[in-house]
Short mmCIF file of all heavy atoms in Angstrom, two decimals:
data_model
loop_
_atom_site.label_atom_id
_atom_site.label_comp_id
_atom_site.label_asym_id
_atom_site.label_seq_id
_atom_site.Cartn_x
_atom_site.Cartn_y
_atom_site.Cartn_z
N PHE A 1 5.36 -15.80 -0.23
CA PHE A 1 4.48 -14.66 -0.08
C PHE A 1 3.24 -15.04 0.72
O PHE A 1 2.54 -15.98 0.37
CB PHE A 1 4.07 -14.11 -1.45
CG PHE A 1 5.21 -13.55 -2.23
CD1 PHE A 1 5.94 -14.35 -3.11
CD2 PHE A 1 5.59 -12.22 -2.09
CE1 PHE A 1 7.01 -13.84 -3.83
CE2 PHE A 1 6.65 -11.70 -2.80
CZ PHE A 1 7.37 -12.51 -3.67
N SER A 2 3.02 -14.33 1.81
CA SER A 2 1.82 -14.54 2.63
C SER A 2 0.79 -13.49 2.24
O SER A 2 0.94 -12.31 2.57
CB SER A 2 2.16 -14.40 4.12
OG SER A 2 3.10 -15.37 4.51
N GLU A 3 -0.24 -13.92 1.51
CA GLU A 3 -1.19 -12.94 0.98
C GLU A 3 -2.19 -12.52 2.05
O GLU A 3 -2.64 -13.32 2.87
CB GLU A 3 -1.91 -13.47 -0.26
CG GLU A 3 -2.95 -14.53 -0.04
CD GLU A 3 -2.39 -15.94 -0.16
OE1 GLU A 3 -1.22 -16.14 0.21
OE2 GLU A 3 -3.14 -16.84 -0.59
N ILE A 4 -2.53 -11.24 2.02
CA ILE A 4 -3.51 -10.63 2.91
C ILE A 4 -4.50 -9.88 2.02
O ILE A 4 -4.14 -8.88 1.41
CB ILE A 4 -2.84 -9.68 3.91
CG1 ILE A 4 -1.83 -10.45 4.78
CG2 ILE A 4 -3.87 -8.97 4.78
CD1 ILE A 4 -0.85 -9.57 5.52
N LEU A 5 -5.71 -10.39 1.91
CA LEU A 5 -6.71 -9.79 1.03
C LEU A 5 -7.63 -8.88 1.83
O LEU A 5 -8.28 -9.34 2.78
CB LEU A 5 -7.52 -10.87 0.31
CG LEU A 5 -6.88 -11.45 -0.96
CD1 LEU A 5 -5.67 -12.30 -0.63
CD2 LEU A 5 -7.88 -12.24 -1.76
N ARG A 6 -7.65 -7.62 1.47
CA ARG A 6 -8.46 -6.63 2.15
C ARG A 6 -9.02 -5.62 1.14
O ARG A 6 -8.45 -5.43 0.06
CB ARG A 6 -7.63 -5.85 3.19
CG ARG A 6 -7.04 -6.67 4.30
CD ARG A 6 -8.10 -7.13 5.30
NE ARG A 6 -7.49 -7.73 6.47
CZ ARG A 6 -7.11 -9.00 6.58
NH1 ARG A 6 -7.29 -9.82 5.53
NH2 ARG A 6 -6.57 -9.46 7.69
N ASP A 7 -10.09 -4.95 1.51
CA ASP A 7 -10.60 -3.84 0.72
C ASP A 7 -9.48 -2.81 0.56
O ASP A 7 -8.64 -2.63 1.45
CB ASP A 7 -11.79 -3.21 1.45
CG ASP A 7 -12.31 -1.97 0.76
OD1 ASP A 7 -13.03 -2.10 -0.24
OD2 ASP A 7 -11.97 -0.86 1.22
N VAL A 8 -9.48 -2.11 -0.60
CA VAL A 8 -8.38 -1.21 -0.91
C VAL A 8 -8.20 -0.13 0.15
O VAL A 8 -7.08 0.25 0.49
CB VAL A 8 -8.54 -0.60 -2.32
CG1 VAL A 8 -9.75 0.32 -2.39
CG2 VAL A 8 -7.28 0.14 -2.73
N GLU A 9 -9.29 0.37 0.72
CA GLU A 9 -9.14 1.42 1.74
C GLU A 9 -8.50 0.87 3.01
O GLU A 9 -7.72 1.56 3.67
CB GLU A 9 -10.49 2.07 2.04
CG GLU A 9 -10.42 3.26 2.98
CD GLU A 9 -9.74 4.50 2.42
OE1 GLU A 9 -9.11 4.43 1.34
OE2 GLU A 9 -9.81 5.56 3.05
N GLU A 10 -8.79 -0.39 3.34
CA GLU A 10 -8.13 -1.01 4.49
C GLU A 10 -6.65 -1.22 4.20
O GLU A 10 -5.80 -1.01 5.08
CB GLU A 10 -8.80 -2.33 4.84
CG GLU A 10 -8.30 -2.91 6.16
CD GLU A 10 -9.08 -4.12 6.62
OE1 GLU A 10 -10.15 -4.41 6.04
OE2 GLU A 10 -8.62 -4.77 7.58
N LEU A 11 -6.31 -1.60 2.98
CA LEU A 11 -4.90 -1.72 2.60
C LEU A 11 -4.21 -0.36 2.69
O LEU A 11 -3.05 -0.28 3.14
CB LEU A 11 -4.78 -2.27 1.18
CG LEU A 11 -5.21 -3.71 0.96
CD1 LEU A 11 -5.16 -4.05 -0.53
CD2 LEU A 11 -4.32 -4.68 1.74
N ASN A 12 -4.90 0.69 2.28
CA ASN A 12 -4.33 2.04 2.40
C ASN A 12 -3.98 2.35 3.86
O ASN A 12 -2.90 2.88 4.15
CB ASN A 12 -5.31 3.08 1.88
CG ASN A 12 -5.50 3.03 0.38
OD1 ASN A 12 -4.65 2.53 -0.35
ND2 ASN A 12 -6.64 3.54 -0.09
N ARG A 13 -4.89 2.02 4.76
CA ARG A 13 -4.65 2.29 6.19
C ARG A 13 -3.52 1.42 6.72
O ARG A 13 -2.68 1.89 7.51
CB ARG A 13 -5.93 2.06 6.99
CG ARG A 13 -7.03 3.09 6.71
CD ARG A 13 -8.11 3.01 7.77
NE ARG A 13 -8.83 1.75 7.72
CZ ARG A 13 -9.94 1.54 7.04
NH1 ARG A 13 -10.47 2.52 6.31
NH2 ARG A 13 -10.55 0.37 7.06
N MET A 14 -3.48 0.15 6.32
CA MET A 14 -2.42 -0.74 6.77
C MET A 14 -1.05 -0.25 6.29
O MET A 14 -0.06 -0.31 7.03
CB MET A 14 -2.68 -2.17 6.28
CG MET A 14 -3.87 -2.83 6.93
SD MET A 14 -4.27 -4.45 6.21
CE MET A 14 -2.93 -5.45 6.90
N ALA A 15 -1.01 0.26 5.06
CA ALA A 15 0.25 0.79 4.53
C ALA A 15 0.68 2.02 5.32
O ALA A 15 1.88 2.21 5.59
CB ALA A 15 0.11 1.12 3.05
N ARG A 16 -0.29 2.86 5.71
CA ARG A 16 0.05 4.04 6.51
C ARG A 16 0.64 3.65 7.85
O ARG A 16 1.45 4.38 8.43
CB ARG A 16 -1.18 4.93 6.72
CG ARG A 16 -1.63 5.65 5.47
CD ARG A 16 -2.65 6.73 5.76
NE ARG A 16 -2.02 7.95 6.22
CZ ARG A 16 -2.63 9.14 6.27
NH1 ARG A 16 -3.88 9.25 5.90
NH2 ARG A 16 -2.00 10.20 6.70
N ASP A 17 0.26 2.47 8.35
CA ASP A 17 0.83 1.96 9.60
C ASP A 17 2.08 1.13 9.35
O ASP A 17 2.60 0.49 10.28
CB ASP A 17 -0.21 1.10 10.34
CG ASP A 17 -1.41 1.91 10.80
OD1 ASP A 17 -1.25 3.13 11.01
OD2 ASP A 17 -2.50 1.33 10.94
N SER A 18 2.55 1.12 8.09
CA SER A 18 3.73 0.33 7.69
C SER A 18 3.57 -1.13 8.05
O SER A 18 4.52 -1.78 8.49
CB SER A 18 5.01 0.92 8.30
OG SER A 18 5.19 2.25 7.91
N GLY A 19 2.37 -1.66 7.85
CA GLY A 19 2.08 -3.02 8.27
C GLY A 19 2.36 -4.11 7.26
O GLY A 19 2.16 -5.29 7.57
N LEU A 20 2.77 -3.76 6.05
CA LEU A 20 2.96 -4.76 5.01
C LEU A 20 4.29 -4.56 4.28
O LEU A 20 4.71 -3.42 4.07
CB LEU A 20 1.81 -4.68 4.00
CG LEU A 20 0.40 -5.01 4.53
CD1 LEU A 20 -0.66 -4.51 3.58
CD2 LEU A 20 0.26 -6.51 4.76
N ASP A 21 4.92 -5.66 3.89
CA ASP A 21 6.17 -5.57 3.12
C ASP A 21 5.89 -5.07 1.70
O ASP A 21 6.60 -4.20 1.19
CB ASP A 21 6.85 -6.94 3.05
CG ASP A 21 7.29 -7.44 4.40
OD1 ASP A 21 7.83 -6.64 5.19
OD2 ASP A 21 7.09 -8.64 4.69
N ILE A 22 4.88 -5.66 1.07
CA ILE A 22 4.48 -5.28 -0.29
C ILE A 22 2.97 -5.14 -0.26
O ILE A 22 2.27 -5.97 0.35
CB ILE A 22 4.87 -6.37 -1.32
CG1 ILE A 22 6.32 -6.75 -1.18
CG2 ILE A 22 4.55 -5.93 -2.74
CD1 ILE A 22 6.55 -8.23 -1.20
N THR A 23 2.45 -4.13 -0.91
CA THR A 23 1.00 -3.96 -0.88
C THR A 23 0.47 -3.18 -2.07
O THR A 23 1.15 -2.31 -2.60
CB THR A 23 0.55 -3.25 0.42
OG1 THR A 23 -0.88 -3.20 0.47
CG2 THR A 23 1.10 -1.82 0.50
N LYS A 24 -0.73 -3.52 -2.47
CA LYS A 24 -1.49 -2.68 -3.38
C LYS A 24 -1.98 -1.48 -2.57
O LYS A 24 -2.39 -1.62 -1.41
CB LYS A 24 -2.68 -3.47 -3.93
CG LYS A 24 -3.66 -2.68 -4.80
CD LYS A 24 -3.07 -2.41 -6.17
CE LYS A 24 -4.09 -1.78 -7.12
NZ LYS A 24 -5.08 -2.78 -7.60
N ALA A 25 -1.96 -0.32 -3.16
CA ALA A 25 -2.49 0.88 -2.51
C ALA A 25 -2.99 1.84 -3.58
O ALA A 25 -2.53 1.82 -4.72
CB ALA A 25 -1.42 1.56 -1.65
N SER A 26 -3.94 2.66 -3.20
CA SER A 26 -4.39 3.72 -4.10
C SER A 26 -3.24 4.70 -4.31
O SER A 26 -2.45 4.95 -3.39
CB SER A 26 -5.57 4.46 -3.48
OG SER A 26 -6.64 3.61 -3.23
N PHE A 27 -3.17 5.30 -5.49
CA PHE A 27 -2.15 6.32 -5.70
C PHE A 27 -2.37 7.52 -4.79
O PHE A 27 -1.41 8.19 -4.41
CB PHE A 27 -2.10 6.74 -7.17
CG PHE A 27 -1.29 5.80 -8.02
CD1 PHE A 27 -1.87 5.09 -9.05
CD2 PHE A 27 0.07 5.61 -7.77
CE1 PHE A 27 -1.12 4.20 -9.82
CE2 PHE A 27 0.82 4.73 -8.53
CZ PHE A 27 0.24 4.03 -9.56
N HIS A 28 -3.63 7.79 -4.44
CA HIS A 28 -3.88 8.84 -3.46
C HIS A 28 -3.16 8.54 -2.15
O HIS A 28 -2.47 9.39 -1.60
CB HIS A 28 -5.39 8.98 -3.24
CG HIS A 28 -5.77 10.10 -2.32
ND1 HIS A 28 -7.06 10.31 -1.91
CD2 HIS A 28 -5.03 11.07 -1.70
CE1 HIS A 28 -7.11 11.37 -1.10
NE2 HIS A 28 -5.89 11.83 -0.97
N ALA A 29 -3.34 7.30 -1.66
CA ALA A 29 -2.68 6.91 -0.42
C ALA A 29 -1.16 6.98 -0.57
O ALA A 29 -0.45 7.44 0.33
CB ALA A 29 -3.11 5.50 -0.03
N TYR A 30 -0.67 6.53 -1.73
CA TYR A 30 0.79 6.55 -1.93
C TYR A 30 1.34 7.97 -1.87
O TYR A 30 2.49 8.18 -1.48
CB TYR A 30 1.17 5.88 -3.26
CG TYR A 30 2.66 5.83 -3.47
CD1 TYR A 30 3.51 5.35 -2.47
CD2 TYR A 30 3.25 6.27 -4.66
CE1 TYR A 30 4.88 5.32 -2.64
CE2 TYR A 30 4.62 6.23 -4.83
CZ TYR A 30 5.43 5.76 -3.82
OH TYR A 30 6.79 5.74 -3.99
N GLY A 31 0.53 8.95 -2.24
CA GLY A 31 0.96 10.33 -2.11
C GLY A 31 1.36 10.70 -0.69
O GLY A 31 2.16 11.62 -0.47
N HIS A 32 0.80 9.98 0.30
CA HIS A 32 1.13 10.22 1.71
C HIS A 32 2.18 9.23 2.23
O HIS A 32 2.57 9.30 3.40
CB HIS A 32 -0.13 10.06 2.57
CG HIS A 32 -1.20 11.07 2.27
ND1 HIS A 32 -1.23 12.32 2.83
CD2 HIS A 32 -2.28 11.00 1.44
CE1 HIS A 32 -2.29 12.98 2.38
NE2 HIS A 32 -2.94 12.20 1.53
N LEU A 33 2.63 8.31 1.38
CA LEU A 33 3.49 7.20 1.84
C LEU A 33 4.85 7.16 1.15
O LEU A 33 5.59 6.20 1.32
CB LEU A 33 2.78 5.86 1.57
CG LEU A 33 1.45 5.62 2.29
CD1 LEU A 33 0.75 4.39 1.74
CD2 LEU A 33 1.69 5.46 3.79
N ARG A 34 5.18 8.20 0.39
CA ARG A 34 6.39 8.15 -0.42
C ARG A 34 7.66 8.13 0.41
O ARG A 34 8.71 7.73 -0.09
CB ARG A 34 6.39 9.31 -1.41
CG ARG A 34 5.37 9.14 -2.52
CD ARG A 34 5.31 10.33 -3.45
NE ARG A 34 4.62 11.47 -2.85
CZ ARG A 34 4.50 12.65 -3.43
NH1 ARG A 34 5.05 12.86 -4.61
NH2 ARG A 34 3.85 13.63 -2.82
N ASP A 35 7.57 8.51 1.67
CA ASP A 35 8.75 8.45 2.54
C ASP A 35 9.01 7.04 3.05
O ASP A 35 10.11 6.73 3.52
CB ASP A 35 8.60 9.41 3.72
CG ASP A 35 7.38 9.11 4.57
OD1 ASP A 35 6.39 8.55 4.04
OD2 ASP A 35 7.40 9.44 5.77
N ARG A 36 8.00 6.16 2.94
CA ARG A 36 8.12 4.81 3.50
C ARG A 36 8.13 3.69 2.47
O ARG A 36 8.60 2.59 2.74
CB ARG A 36 6.97 4.56 4.48
CG ARG A 36 7.18 5.20 5.83
CD ARG A 36 5.93 5.14 6.67
NE ARG A 36 5.06 6.28 6.41
CZ ARG A 36 3.84 6.40 6.92
NH1 ARG A 36 3.35 5.45 7.67
NH2 ARG A 36 3.12 7.47 6.65
N TYR A 37 7.58 3.97 1.29
CA TYR A 37 7.46 2.93 0.26
C TYR A 37 7.96 3.44 -1.09
O TYR A 37 7.84 4.62 -1.40
CB TYR A 37 5.99 2.51 0.09
CG TYR A 37 5.44 1.65 1.20
CD1 TYR A 37 4.84 2.23 2.32
CD2 TYR A 37 5.49 0.25 1.13
CE1 TYR A 37 4.31 1.44 3.34
CE2 TYR A 37 4.97 -0.53 2.14
CZ TYR A 37 4.38 0.07 3.24
OH TYR A 37 3.86 -0.72 4.25
N VAL A 38 8.50 2.50 -1.87
CA VAL A 38 8.80 2.77 -3.28
C VAL A 38 7.69 2.14 -4.12
O VAL A 38 6.99 1.24 -3.68
CB VAL A 38 10.17 2.22 -3.71
CG1 VAL A 38 11.30 2.96 -3.00
CG2 VAL A 38 10.28 0.71 -3.46
N LEU A 39 7.56 2.65 -5.32
CA LEU A 39 6.56 2.15 -6.26
C LEU A 39 7.18 1.11 -7.18
O LEU A 39 8.28 1.32 -7.70
CB LEU A 39 5.99 3.32 -7.06
CG LEU A 39 4.95 3.01 -8.14
CD1 LEU A 39 3.68 2.43 -7.52
CD2 LEU A 39 4.63 4.28 -8.93
N LEU A 40 6.48 0.00 -7.39
CA LEU A 40 6.94 -1.01 -8.34
C LEU A 40 6.37 -0.70 -9.72
O LEU A 40 5.28 -0.13 -9.85
CB LEU A 40 6.51 -2.40 -7.90
CG LEU A 40 6.97 -2.87 -6.52
CD1 LEU A 40 6.68 -4.36 -6.34
CD2 LEU A 40 8.45 -2.60 -6.28
N ARG A 41 7.07 -1.10 -10.75
CA ARG A 41 6.63 -0.84 -12.12
C ARG A 41 5.59 -1.85 -12.59
O ARG A 41 4.95 -1.63 -13.62
CB ARG A 41 7.84 -0.85 -13.07
CG ARG A 41 8.82 0.27 -12.80
CD ARG A 41 10.09 0.14 -13.64
NE ARG A 41 11.06 1.14 -13.26
CZ ARG A 41 11.18 2.34 -13.82
NH1 ARG A 41 10.37 2.68 -14.80
NH2 ARG A 41 12.09 3.20 -13.40
N SER A 42 5.44 -2.95 -11.86
CA SER A 42 4.50 -4.00 -12.27
C SER A 42 3.37 -4.14 -11.26
O SER A 42 3.54 -3.87 -10.07
CB SER A 42 5.22 -5.35 -12.40
OG SER A 42 6.22 -5.28 -13.37
N GLY A 43 2.19 -4.59 -11.76
CA GLY A 43 1.09 -4.95 -10.88
C GLY A 43 0.06 -3.86 -10.64
O GLY A 43 -0.95 -4.11 -9.98
N GLY A 44 0.28 -2.67 -11.17
CA GLY A 44 -0.61 -1.56 -10.88
C GLY A 44 -1.86 -1.54 -11.73
O GLY A 44 -2.06 -2.36 -12.64
N ALA A 45 -2.74 -0.58 -11.42
CA ALA A 45 -3.99 -0.38 -12.16
C ALA A 45 -3.99 1.02 -12.76
O ALA A 45 -4.18 2.00 -12.06
CB ALA A 45 -5.19 -0.57 -11.23
#
């Protein structure tokens, strides 16, 4: 695993660009990303 540490809003933007294999994201952001990402059952807040 190659970790990339960023502020959550930057991670949200990176996820919108499909830039990460696995990522933390706000659930708000995930509402816009459900076509590209699945949600994991572990690791959330």
Side-chain angles (χ1 to χ4, degrees):
F1 295 91
S2 298
E3 73 268 33
I4 299 164
L5 277 70
R6 299 287 190 275
D7 175 78
V8 67
E9 185 69 349
E10 189 172 349
L11 292 174
N12 290 338
R13 291 194 294 267
M14 291 174 74
R16 289 192 82 165
D17 295 334
S18 301
L20 296 163
D21 296 318
I22 309 134
T23 185
K24 174 74 172 285
S26 301
F27 277 117
H28 184 186
Y30 183 50
H32 297 275
L33 298 169
R34 289 176 285 176
D35 59 333
R36 281 170 273 173
Y37 286 89
V38 293
L39 178 63
L40 302 190
R41 295 174 186 268
S42 299

